[in-house]
Amino acid sequence: MKTADYLERLLQKYSGIFDIYQPYVIHGKEYPAYGYFYSHVEKYVLVREANMWSSDSYEHILFIITDKVDQALIDEAYSVVKDYMEPILVRKGEEFPAEGHMYSYLTISLISEHALSKDMQKAVKHFKYEKGYKFNIRGFAQAHIVCATMEDEKVYTNYVGRKSTKFYKNIFAG
């Protein structure tokens, strides 16, 4: 399977839940797609005005197609998470996220034509970015990375992204 075909299948699956924007530009660089998910949950007694609690959950996914994953791409992914996704998409340029924010997952979805080297498997596995707001009272942001390789049809993730493995492997099956 080619990377473009895989991305098309992946976006088709995600589009049922996520808002998908194609292409997506960050600091002048164009990426094939970006996905956005938002969920609001609240608990109240009898009437909405008697709100006990509410929480907002988000997920932002940036899709990247590449011929081969190298350290420069991993560094770029980390930079995008740290310098764009967290401050712009999560905090909206403010000091903290909006009240009611529970968590934001910042996912980098790498789709590679070639298999990962041992060093890049390790780099994906150890990819980590987490940030709490007001001792997590205002929630947290957490980076997930998922890498699907077309050559050997494998999926690699960091520890917090491991729940996506089955979903991404099913894309290969059709």
Side-chain angles (χ1 to χ4, degrees):
M1 180 181 307
K2 296 288 181 198
T3 55
D5 298 331
Y6 186 88
L7 177 64
E8 186 177 319
R9 285 183 181 183
L10 191 59
L11 292 178
Q12 190 174 21
K13 293 279 187 184
Y14 270 121
S15 66
I17 303 168
F18 283 72
D19 294 335
I20 304 293
Y21 302 93
Q22 290 179 276
Y24 194 74
V25 179
I26 297 174
H27 300 306
K29 180 164 182 178
E30 186 175 293
Y31 295 93
Y34 161 75
Y36 172 75
F37 171 79
Y38 167 72
S39 173
H40 176 79
V41 179
E42 62 185 359
K43 179 74 172 174
Y44 55 89
V45 181
L46 299 176
V47 293
R48 284 208 162 170
E49 288 75 28
N51 190 344
M52 293 171 59
W53 59 265
S54 66
S55 68
D56 298 326
S57 306
Y58 304 85
E59 184 165 1
H60 305 275
I61 303 177
L62 184 64
F63 299 90
I64 301 173
I65 291 179
T66 185
D67 187 48
K68 181 178 134 184
V69 175
D70 57 12
Q71 191 59 49
L73 185 61
I74 298 291
D75 293 343
E76 176 187 338
Y78 185 82
S79 176
V80 165
V81 166
K82 182 177 168 281
D83 300 331
Y84 180 79
M85 294 177 89
E86 191 276 327
I88 306 298
L89 299 177
V90 176
R91 292 187 286 125
K92 313 263 188 282
E94 300 293 327
E95 186 177 1
F96 300 108
E99 198 170 315
H101 175 264
M102 185 174 177
Y103 66 81
S104 291
Y105 292 146
L106 311 173
T107 304
I108 301 292
S109 177
L110 300 174
I111 303 166
S112 174
E113 191 65 46
H114 296 290
L116 294 185
S117 68
K118 292 286 185 195
D119 289 342
M120 289 304 101
Q121 289 176 29
K122 191 180 273 190
V124 167
K125 184 178 178 180
H126 295 291
F127 187 91
K128 185 175 181 177
Y129 180 87
E130 291 186 22
K131 185 167 185 178
Y133 307 101
K134 291 190 172 185
F135 300 105
N136 289 0
I137 292 171
R138 279 274 180 101
F140 64 93
Q142 183 179 66
H144 298 192
I145 189 166
V146 183
C147 181
T149 58
M150 303 303 107
E151 185 176 18
D152 55 0
E153 294 191 353
K154 290 191 175 181
V155 176
Y156 303 91
T157 69
N158 62 352
Y159 183 76
V160 293
R162 71 191 180 283
K163 292 178 183 170
S164 301
T165 303
K166 185 177 179 183
F167 179 77
Y168 276 70
K169 281 184 178 178
N170 288 339
I171 302 296
F172 288 115

